[in-house]
Amino acid sequence: MTGLTLWGRLSSCNVQKALWLLEELALPYEHIQAGGDFGGLDDPAYLAMNPHGKVPTLKDGDTVVWESEAILRYLAARYGAPAFWSDDPAERAVVDQWLAWTASALYRDWIDLFWRLVRTPPERRDAALIEGHRRRSAERYALLDSQLATRPYIAGDHLSLADIAAGMTLYRWYEMPIERPELAHLRAWYDRLRERPAYRRSVCVPFDDLAGKLTF
């Protein structure tokens, strides 16, 4: 191992995913706060690694990876086999389909809900838009609840990248001041995740400092 470094502010949900997996894999790494109040994303040295100027960015020796799902797959393939990276393409496909669904469906309204409810100043909030994002997020969590009715984790009996991508959203979902449907299987999954020290350290991060702050 040549040394792992992860750039990105801890309050970033995308950074939290990468940190969670690093912690689960018990890998030694350096975490450099970047973005938001920490700045640094427009520095030439950072842009040379990540031309999009976003977080997270992972450096592993001479290898640089950006985009959180790509970082998850890289870490799983290089350091997490077989627990997080099966040799069986069919098993990987089960995880991949949930990664794709989380990115394209669950995140879409969940992150907009967070921005419109938490990050938007009260005087600029749109109650109708907030309710629409809340309702659609609840519908997607209900689908997850159904998936979890017959298994402890999204893809089966063990924690996978699917849980890391979707499970990262739960702390904010349960901490935001909103009405939530009673989804027993989803809640039990969240409780299982909170038993993991890596989850608590990386994801259960208060977001008071983001309230009313529309800038990254």
Side-chain angles (χ1 to χ4, degrees):
M1 188 180 303
T2 53
L4 288 155
T5 304
L6 184 76
W7 282 263
R9 57 183 172 84
L10 183 56
S11 60
S12 162
C13 56
N14 288 321
V15 173
Q16 289 174 3
K17 286 183 283 184
L19 284 171
W20 181 9
L21 184 55
L22 285 166
E23 292 283 335
E24 290 286 352
L25 295 173
L27 294 170
Y29 66 92
E30 180 183 5
H31 176 213
I32 298 176
Q33 298 270 15
D37 293 339
F38 298 96
L41 302 187
D42 55 356
D43 291 349
Y46 189 82
L47 291 172
M49 294 189 298
N50 185 337
H52 303 286
K54 304 291 186 182
V55 295
T57 297
L58 178 79
K59 192 170 190 293
D60 183 11
D62 294 328
T63 300
V64 175
V65 188
W66 38 264
E67 288 294 331
S68 58
E69 270 76 21
I71 290 172
L72 293 183
R73 289 185 175 94
Y74 171 81
L75 290 172
R78 184 155 190 183
Y79 300 111
F84 287 96
W85 195 260
S86 172
D87 290 334
D88 184 345
E91 290 183 5
R92 289 206 306 272
V94 172
V95 173
D96 265 339
Q97 65 193 6
W98 283 102
L99 282 172
W101 174 83
T102 297
S104 64
L106 177 60
Y107 285 169
R108 186 174 60 196
D109 282 289
W110 170 82
I111 196 63
D112 283 346
L113 172 63
F114 185 78
W115 271 84
R116 293 187 182 279
L117 179 63
V118 176
R119 301 205 61 167
T120 299
E123 67 276 8
R124 296 178 60 181
R125 292 174 188 162
D126 185 316
L129 284 175
I130 290 171
E131 173 55 21
H133 293 311
R134 187 208 64 80
R135 177 178 51 80
R136 288 186 292 273
S137 295
E139 290 170 355
R140 292 176 182 126
Y141 282 121
L143 189 153
L144 267 180
D145 185 74
S146 297
Q147 174 71 4
L148 291 159
T150 58
R151 65 206 72 205
Y153 297 100
I154 292 177
D157 293 331
H158 305 289
L159 187 80
S160 73
L161 297 186
D163 299 284
I164 287 180
M168 173 277 298
T169 69
L170 293 181
Y171 176 76
R172 295 187 185 189
W173 174 248
Y174 282 106
E175 291 296 319
M176 282 189 283
I178 55 173
E179 179 182 345
R180 287 173 290 273
E182 293 294 333
L183 299 171
H185 306 300
L186 186 82
R187 182 71 203 206
W189 177 50
Y190 180 45
D191 291 341
R192 281 192 291 278
L193 295 181
R194 288 194 302 167
E195 292 174 358
R196 309 181 76 92
Y199 184 82
R200 294 196 301 271
R201 285 194 295 268
S202 305
V203 179
C204 298
V205 179
F207 45 81
D208 297 347
D209 61 321
L210 298 178
K213 186 179 293 185
L214 284 170
T215 60
F216 283 96

